[in-house]
Amino acid sequence: MASNESRRISDLETLKAFGHPLRMKLYRALYISRKATASQLAEQVDEAVSLVSYHLRKLADHGLIEEAEQQGKDGRERWWQPASKGLNFHAEDFSDAPEKVATHTAIGRLSFDQHVELYRSYIDSAQSWPLEWRSAAFGSEYLARLTADELAALSREVHELIDQYEELGRARDEAGDTEGRENVAMHLYAFPFRT
């Protein structure tokens, strides 16, 4: 990856470019694989290579992904990689105009829908996973009374902890420790609500 830092998306055009259902899936697939061709990603998302290539170019136009070094002998295929460690979208960056609010909200909903789809897929196939994976997987709900500052501190600490495990897993994977290693999705939401 070009940058070891997460990229904060604060402009509407880049947000819109990312906010396409297939582009979000492609970004996720590319993030997991680290480097891939349009053909490889097309297989993962079950779409035509030409369509995948088009959407990859749109992501690249906005600096969300970039060309990677050639991995194979065939120099005709482009290799892609994420341009940063991850992406962040903050509501305050899109709160100054109704179109920005609506776009940020729509993309948040789309992202959530894809998270639900991924989790439902796991639930439906859970019995096909070995017991050690079913035992390790978790779903929890925590309810707390916090101030905004306390919630922000919790968010930072949780992100730091997840970053530690992600970096550890990537380093071990790249060193060849691939036995028993799987892709793991973790979706966390923390938000105020009133009953």
Side-chain angles (χ1 to χ4, degrees):
M1 287 181 223
S3 171
N4 273 343
E5 299 295 320
S6 288
R7 178 177 170 194
R8 184 170 178 159
I9 304 302
S10 57
D11 67 284
L12 186 60
E13 293 310 310
T14 302
L15 182 66
K16 285 179 178 180
F18 181 74
H20 184 282
L22 181 55
R23 290 180 198 157
M24 292 172 85
K25 287 181 181 180
L26 288 169
Y27 185 87
R28 184 179 297 116
L30 188 57
Y31 187 85
I32 291 293
S33 63
R34 296 181 194 96
K35 294 181 183 180
T37 64
S39 298
Q40 292 168 337
L41 293 169
E43 278 186 43
Q44 292 181 45
V45 298
D46 195 28
E47 293 289 350
V49 175
S50 59
L51 181 64
V52 167
S53 292
Y54 169 80
H55 285 293
L56 289 172
R57 287 191 305 273
K58 290 298 178 190
L59 289 169
D61 287 346
H62 291 274
L64 301 172
I65 67 170
E66 62 189 16
E67 285 194 59
E69 290 181 27
Q70 294 296 102
Q71 301 295 304
K73 296 176 184 173
D74 184 359
R76 294 177 297 162
E77 262 198 306
R78 281 175 146 173
W79 285 80
W80 297 98
Q81 66 185 11
S84 61
K85 183 179 178 181
L87 302 175
N88 294 289
F89 309 93
H90 296 267
E92 65 264 23
D93 295 329
F94 302 98
S95 62
D96 61 339
E99 180 191 9
K100 290 180 178 182
V101 171
T103 302
H104 182 264
T105 299
I107 291 169
R109 287 177 176 273
L110 176 59
S111 179
F112 179 74
D113 290 345
Q114 287 189 358
H115 295 172
V116 169
E117 179 184 326
L118 194 59
Y119 188 56
R120 279 193 178 128
S121 178
Y122 166 73
I123 290 171
D124 292 344
S125 67
Q127 291 308 308
S128 68
W129 286 93
L131 180 59
E132 67 181 324
W133 279 103
R134 292 192 317 266
S135 297
F138 66 92
S140 302
E141 179 180 28
Y142 300 95
L143 303 172
R145 287 194 48 84
L146 305 174
T147 65
D149 287 343
E150 290 166 343
L151 179 56
L154 174 62
S155 176
R156 282 190 302 275
E157 289 181 37
V158 167
H159 282 89
E160 288 170 6
L161 180 62
I162 292 168
D163 282 348
Q164 289 174 14
Y165 275 90
E166 185 180 14
E167 289 169 16
L168 176 71
R170 282 195 188 276
R172 288 180 176 171
D173 191 42
E174 289 170 0
D177 179 9
T178 59
E179 183 70 28
R181 198 167 298 282
E182 298 285 352
N183 299 326
V184 173
M186 193 175 330
H187 305 135
L188 300 174
Y189 307 96
F191 51 88
F193 72 98
R194 294 185 177 124
T195 55

